[in-house]
Amino acid sequence: MRAHLARVDAVLVQAVIAAALSFAHLHDLASAAGQDGWKAWAYPVSVDLLLVAAWRRLRSGVSKAAGWCWFVVALVASLGANVATAGLLDLDDVPAWLRILVAGWPAVAFLGGTLLAHTAPAAKPVPVAVEPETARPPAEPEPEKPQLPVPHVPAALVTHARKLADEHHARTGSPIDPDTLRARLNVPAPLADAIAARL
């Protein structure tokens, strides 16, 4: 257990350090590109939130293509800022194309976040088996099942079942059916039928 906690703590420390450095690099790049004050601080938040939204979509198991697409877009923005601020870019003379990218980022992040959060994955069609019409001989009537003895139902169980039935009716507006009653009481089907007959 302690080894697991130590590993989680090390991963958490690593994540905090990486996030802080990346956050600072994104801020520095946005600031150098002409976005000052609170706007420069909003860029790292925007990139990180898009990464989180894409990661959540990837973890959900649905529509992984959209998740990967936006994850790569946000990762490129983050890595680009990290590399650009590592001395490869003169932060005192930022090229115009980079200023355009930085200025356009909020719209890209908004589009990605909206698409990730508000698009429902396509529902998979459920195949319906259709049996061909064939001439069948008339079905023989099923032999009657032997009547099982009606189980004894304690009065306290009937009282409890009435409470459950009243709650069900108040919540759904319809009377409780024997299957629901059986599931709620956790009793066998014959006993549930006998209780339902007394309600």
Side-chain angles (χ1 to χ4, degrees), residues 151-168:
H152 170 71
V153 181
L157 189 56
V158 173
T159 303
H160 182 62
R162 281 195 181 110
K163 286 181 189 176
L164 292 176
D166 291 342
E167 289 173 7
H168 180 81

Side-chain angles (χ1 to χ4, degrees), residues 96-195:
W97 63 267
L98 187 56
R99 289 178 184 272
I100 292 170
L101 285 177
V102 169
W105 175 257
V108 172
F110 178 74
L111 175 66
T114 301
L115 290 175
L116 287 170
H118 297 292
T119 53
K124 295 180 182 176
V126 178
V128 178
V130 178
E131 290 186 24
E133 294 278 334
T134 58
R136 293 183 185 171
E140 295 178 13
E142 291 184 21
E144 287 190 30
K145 295 179 183 174
Q147 291 289 348
L148 297 174
V150 177
H152 170 71
V153 181
L157 189 56
V158 173
T159 303
H160 182 62
R162 281 195 181 110
K163 286 181 189 176
L164 292 176
D166 291 342
E167 289 173 7
H168 180 81
H169 189 273
R171 191 173 61 249
T172 65
S174 61
I176 194 166
D177 58 293
D179 289 334
T180 304
L181 185 64
R182 181 181 58 80
R184 295 286 308 272
L185 292 173
N186 196 22
V187 295
L191 183 57
D193 291 337
I195 295 169

Side-chain angles (χ1 to χ4, degrees), residues 27-55:
H27 171 269
D28 293 347
L29 184 66
S31 183
Q35 306 296 322
D36 53 357
W38 68 269
K39 292 182 284 183
W41 290 109
Y43 279 87
V45 173
S46 174
V47 172
D48 289 347
L49 286 178
L50 186 57
L51 276 169
V52 169
W55 181 249

